[in-house]
Amino acid sequence: MKRFSGLILIGALAVTVAACGGGGSGGQGGAAAGGGDGKIVMGFSQVGAESGWRTANTKSVQEAAAKAGIELKFSDAQQKQENQIKAIRSFIQQRVDVIAFSPVVESGWDPVLVEAKNAKIPVILTDRAVDSKDTSLYKTFLGSDFVEEGKKAGQWLVEEYKDSTETVNIVELQGTTGSAPANDRKAGFAEVIQADPKFKIIASQTGDFTRAKGKEVMEAFLKSNPDIDVLYAHNDDMGLGAIEAIEGAGKVPGKDIKIITVDAVKDGMQALADGKINFIVECSPLLGPQLMDLAKKVVAGEQVPARVVTEETTFTQEQAKQVLSSRQY
Ligand code: GYE
């Protein structure tokens, strides 16, 4: 799928030479890997493996690439922006056909995106957005509407306490600091609950989207706040960690402290069906098939929509019981 250029010829020659020499490690660059067989080569920089959502997302991307006949160069950034920037630079050097990545935080991407643009390699944002003013730095953004997710969490809470006049003390476990889902889920939730002054966020801190950090921060919340009514966790994993902390403090999750989370991964849905979580806003990690479709179009030079939003729902405890066995992740 490469444009013709002297470089490609040299690349092809290099592969031939390597193959003749009995090398053929398969770890060559885009031109080499894609050389001859017309296969699209995608460089994908994943955030990490911080949550059940992320694991399901990685699986979806890998399976969809294999199914679509796209060669995937997968790189795990271990939640570090510098690792993602390094991976993207390496994809540019390897001259892959398309770069897709899920930016760990929103800011600070312009320089490396300009490098990709100058190298004429199209970029697709997957799952999370960047805050670059120049939207020509990427072709499209595929992922959820995180503000909407935060709003849905807030709307459930408003409904749940509609007959109560007492203060509702809320603690919030935020996702990774500076990430789009943390920023947006916080904003959407705040926007909805601020309409009624009885809702008070008495503590809000990051749990980095992990179970371990969710537990640790919830333990601290419980120590300094004896009167917590509600926990809003930006993902299931932090909520599940917090449940351990709540039980450890001798309280009953789902009853003494009501819990709202986002994602709807298996373990979260199980806890919801078991009555330990009260409400989950779904965020689908199954972005692989749509990503591969978009990649094919972008590489072929076709127009794609600037934004592709994933369709999602919400789950109550009753609904979780009904759908649990048929969940894919
Ligand atoms: O909600 C969380 C994960 O970016 C939507 O990242 C994703 C979020 C997801 O770690 O569990």
Side-chain angles (χ1 to χ4, degrees), residues 60-217:
S60 170
V61 169
Q62 288 172 335
E63 285 177 0
K67 207 163 160 210
I70 290 180
E71 182 183 330
L72 189 69
K73 292 182 175 296
F74 183 90
S75 174
D76 176 338
Q78 298 181 330
Q79 295 245 62
K80 291 205 178 73
Q81 181 172 33
E82 56 188 274
N83 291 344
Q84 288 200 295
I85 292 174
K86 265 190 220 146
I88 294 169
R89 291 215 164 108
S90 141
F91 295 147
I92 296 172
Q93 239 169 26
Q94 296 175 59
R95 300 221 37 89
V96 299
D97 298 302
V98 55
I99 293 171
F101 79 115
S102 176
V104 59
V105 291
E106 286 190 281
S107 307
W109 298 100
D110 284 35
V112 75
L113 290 180
V114 167
E115 288 168 36
K117 191 177 174 186
N118 290 342
K120 301 204 163 46
I121 300 176
V123 171
I124 299 177
L125 301 179
T126 320
D127 156 39
R128 297 184 184 178
V130 298
D131 63 5
S132 304
K133 297 271 175 306
D134 180 359
T135 53
S136 78
L137 294 177
Y138 52 90
K139 296 287 177 201
T140 179
F141 165 35
L142 163 69
S144 310
D145 182 338
F146 301 132
V147 176
E148 194 52 38
E149 290 172 351
K151 283 187 187 166
K152 287 178 187 167
Q155 280 151 5
W156 179 83
L157 194 65
V158 167
E159 181 61 25
E160 181 72 9
Y161 285 91
K162 68 172 188 298
D163 298 327
S164 159
T165 49
E166 279 169 42
T167 302
V168 180
N169 287 330
I170 304 162
V171 295
E172 179 178 33
L173 282 169
Q174 298 178 33
T176 302
T177 305
S179 70
N183 293 342
D184 295 354
R185 286 173 186 166
K186 184 173 185 24
F189 182 75
E191 191 190 316
V192 171
I193 63 163
Q194 77 181 5
D196 189 336
K198 77 179 175 220
F199 294 113
K200 292 218 161 56
I201 300 182
I202 55 170
S204 180
Q205 224 176 287
T206 182
D208 219 7
F209 279 132
T210 68
R211 231 176 252 216
K213 206 64 200 301
K215 181 176 179 196
E216 190 186 307
V217 177

Side-chain angles (χ1 to χ4, degrees), residues 255-309:
K255 299 223 159 54
D256 296 336
I257 297 178
K258 294 201 174 144
I259 303 178
I260 311 167
T261 63
V262 186
D263 275 356
V265 295
K266 260 260 158 60
D267 291 353
M269 291 292 275
Q270 183 65 57
L272 181 62
D274 293 344
K276 296 185 176 191
I277 293 178
N278 301 76
F279 189 67
I280 301 186
V281 178
E282 185 186 43
C283 176
S284 174
L286 306 179
L287 303 177
Q290 275 172 299
L291 173 60
M292 299 310 148
D293 281 354
L294 288 167
K296 282 183 183 170
K297 288 190 179 139
V298 158
V299 171
E302 286 173 36
Q303 267 314 109
V304 292
R307 176 79 170 98
V308 182
V309 186

Side-chain angles (χ1 to χ4, degrees), residues 169 171 202 218 221-222 225-231 256-257:
N169 287 330
V171 295
I202 55 170
M218 190 67 198
F221 283 167
L222 286 158
N225 307 283
D227 194 17
I228 300 170
D229 300 306
V230 173
L231 163 66
D256 296 336
I257 297 178

Side-chain angles (χ1 to χ4, degrees), residues 50-64:
E50 74 282 3
S51 64
W53 190 99
R54 191 64 54 196
T55 310
N57 178 247
T58 293
K59 192 163 166 260
S60 170
V61 169
Q62 288 172 335
E63 285 177 0

